[in-house]
Amino acid sequence: MTTFPDAHYLILSSRLIPGLDGGYTIATLARAAHMAAAGVRTVRLLTFDPGTATDHAAHRAEFARRGQLGNPDALTGNGVEASAALMNLFDEAGEDRSWLLAAAAPGERDASLQYREIPDAAGRPLVALPNVPDPSGWHLSTAPVVVYQADGREAGIVAGFGGLYRAWLEHIVARLRESADLPVVVICESRQLGELLTDWSDPGIRIIHTIHTMHVEPPFTPDAPLNSLWERWFALAHRFDAVAWPTAAQRDDVAQRFGGDNHLVVPNGVQIPDEPALERAGGLVVMMNRLAPGKRVDHTIRAFLAADVTGTRLDIYGDGPERAKLQQLIDDLGAGERVTLRGSTTDPGAALDAAELFVTSTEFEGQGLAIVEALAHGCPVVAYDIRYGPADALAAGGGVLVPPGDERALADAIRSVMGDEQLRASLAREAPDAARRWSADAAMDALASAIRQAIAAPPRR
């Protein structure tokens, strides 16, 4: 069983909202739940979005209902509850604003900016946030955030979102250290938050920065141009005690291009069912992702129809901005009886247990968590060989890779697998073993190892 160092653990995410941010939300919640199940005594998930306390309570309830915060009735090997606490900055300040008032300094709001007032649960003003007209760098602005007394009077300001966020984090760390003087491990799941933490020089804190997505622009080659947001992040990456990349391929590309000795591989893990499903819905092909342009769902629809295997049908799970456009494509192709947009599902495992093939035609990925989940459920995969994820996931079998963007090759692969029962059965047998490289246990072993290395080394800030 994985053994994590004795420490306080904080996982930071800009927001965690059911139905938003696709695989990022799933992976972040899963990491916290897997850590709790591995024996970490308390895992605190900290979010920073200024929603209402009512909204945040509803989000927590929904995640708990889905089992995404762990099982509060299950005990770990240490005899503690295998669950994670989901907390929000504005909820916490609304219940006790003493730390916020302590952080406030004399000053006034920026008269050139509009402000959004955030109330506490009782409707009293808590803070006023500046509307910074910079969609990519608003979080770095030091425009004053106004802090209110409980009676509605302005108490002062903190320096930007960074000042607000850091005030809360330092308050939490101080409170943790009152209970036990242990190292504090911060697992940062968001680039924006990471950029605000690179000057946090507390010697007892180690920051592990996880990565969830692609770092280059089209054509997605190792030397392709960086998105401007990544340029800023890479300039700071050496200050993190470890950077956790989801695949070895991406880690290797980054290390070769940018150098640095803090790049490690920590995949997002999935639970492996004890036994794959014995009976499946004959002819069922599934796709499972957001209906967004980069997922290229239209490629799979056309390739599936071109494969033209008798008795097959395609169920597409997920939602997003391209749903109407994709439905129009299905209608235009006269494929409504064979291709169905099923919408979002809260039980992907059931869909994968029923399917005989999983197909993905995405343009880029971070890891391709859905591929690993399909393999874990004994469902073969056909995928474009894009960066990053499919080649890593299918290295030990369980699927077929085809050249990126080649719809004819995608159709040929679908026809090959769905038209050959023996090949399909062989891939299905390989799939669970291939997925075990990405199991929750394997992911926790990698994360615990990264944390041990970070704690043993001097801090980087």
Side-chain angles (χ1 to χ4, degrees):
M1 182 175 178
T2 302
T3 301
F4 279 84
D6 197 11
H8 300 297
Y9 289 90
L10 304 175
I11 299 179
L12 313 187
S13 176
S14 295
R15 66 183 183 186
L16 290 169
I17 299 175
L20 284 183
D21 305 317
Y24 168 86
T25 298
I26 294 169
T28 300
L29 290 167
R31 196 184 326 271
H34 294 162
M35 289 176 66
V40 175
R41 183 168 296 275
T42 303
V43 183
R44 292 170 175 82
L45 271 161
L46 309 185
T47 61
F48 299 79
D49 63 298
T52 68
T54 300
D55 287 343
H56 293 141
H59 300 161
R60 285 190 289 271
E62 177 60 17
F63 287 138
R65 186 189 70 79
R66 298 180 183 182
Q68 290 178 294
L69 286 174
N71 180 3
D73 297 322
L75 297 181
T76 70
N78 294 335
V80 296
E81 292 181 353
S83 59
L86 179 55
M87 305 162 63
N88 176 268
L89 183 157
F90 298 94
D91 294 353
E92 295 289 304
E95 292 181 4
D96 174 14
R97 67 180 77 197
S98 60
W99 60 268
L100 187 55
L101 293 171
E108 298 179 349
R109 68 185 65 205
D110 186 333
S112 68
L113 297 175
Q114 293 182 332
Y115 276 74
R116 174 189 174 192
E117 189 174 282
I118 306 299
D120 64 15
R124 301 170 300 185
L126 180 64
V127 295
L129 304 178
N131 182 14
V132 179
D134 180 357
S136 66
W138 61 268
H139 58 296
L140 301 175
S141 169
T142 57
V145 171
V146 179
V147 175
Y148 290 97
Q149 300 276 7
D151 62 8
R153 292 180 296 120
E154 292 188 9
I157 61 168
V158 293
F161 292 90
L164 177 63
Y165 296 175
R166 282 281 293 276
W168 186 42
L169 291 172
E170 289 171 359
H171 165 68
I172 288 176
V173 168
R175 194 168 60 189
L176 291 173
R177 284 172 171 162
E178 289 176 358
S179 63
D181 187 13
L182 298 171
V184 177
V185 176
V186 175
I187 300 175
C188 183
E189 306 274 7
S190 162
R191 286 200 310 272
Q192 289 177 336
L193 294 174
E195 291 172 7
L196 294 173
L197 300 179
T198 54
D199 62 347
W200 197 359
S201 59
D202 187 317
I205 289 175
R206 298 295 184 274
I207 299 177
I208 315 295
H209 199 303
T210 63
I211 305 298
H212 289 266
T213 189
M214 169 67 70
H215 64 283
V216 292
E217 296 284 278
F220 306 116
T221 55
D223 59 350
L226 287 179
N227 180 286
S228 60
L229 302 180
W230 278 101
E231 288 180 0
R232 188 172 62 208
W233 184 88
F234 271 111
L236 303 169
H238 63 283
R239 298 184 185 178
F240 301 117
D241 298 289
V243 179
W245 299 91
T247 66
Q250 190 173 18
R251 185 275 312 272
D252 293 346
D253 283 352
V254 166
Q256 183 173 359
R257 180 172 178 177
F258 298 100
D261 59 356
N262 60 340
H263 300 294
L264 304 173
V265 179
V266 180
N268 297 305
V270 302
Q271 294 291 349
I272 311 294
D274 294 334
E275 296 289 342
L278 297 177
E279 295 186 12
R280 297 181 181 270
L284 178 60
V285 179
V286 301
M287 187 181 203
M288 197 171 290
N289 48 230
R290 267 180 53 76
L291 307 185
K295 298 302 182 181
R296 297 192 293 196
V297 179
D298 57 317
H299 286 218
T300 292
I301 293 172
R302 288 190 294 266
F304 170 79
L305 294 173
D308 197 25
V309 180
T310 301
T312 58
R313 65 188 189 279
L314 172 63
D315 282 356
I316 301 170
Y317 290 90
D319 214 335
E322 292 227 310
R323 179 161 189 163
K325 180 179 178 181
L326 292 168
Q327 186 59 61
Q328 186 63 56
L329 174 64
I330 293 168
D331 295 341
D332 290 346
L333 294 172
E337 293 186 1
R338 297 190 61 203
V339 181
T340 306
L341 300 180
R342 295 291 184 186
S344 298
T345 176
T346 58
D347 191 3
L352 294 171
D353 282 339
E356 291 193 318
L357 178 66
F358 178 90
V359 181
T360 176
S361 48
T362 185
E363 189 174 14
F364 62 90
E365 276 289 359
Q367 176 179 330
L369 194 59
I371 293 175
V372 181
E373 290 175 339
L375 295 173
H377 284 265
C379 182
V381 173
V382 167
Y384 282 153
D385 187 10
I386 49 88
R387 285 180 170 84
Y388 290 96
D392 297 74
L394 299 176
V400 178
L401 292 171
V402 301
D406 188 336
E407 289 186 34
R408 178 175 294 181
L410 191 64
D412 290 344
I414 294 171
R415 184 183 307 112
S416 176
V417 176
M418 293 306 293
D420 186 335
E421 185 176 353
Q422 187 173 357
L423 171 61
R424 195 166 64 250
S426 175
L427 294 173
R429 285 193 298 271
E430 295 171 356
D433 285 338
R436 285 190 176 89
R437 298 173 56 232
W438 312 91
S439 68
D441 288 344
M444 291 300 98
D445 285 345
L447 179 59
S449 175
I451 292 169
R452 282 193 293 271
Q453 291 180 50
I455 289 176
R460 289 175 175 260
R461 289 165 308 286

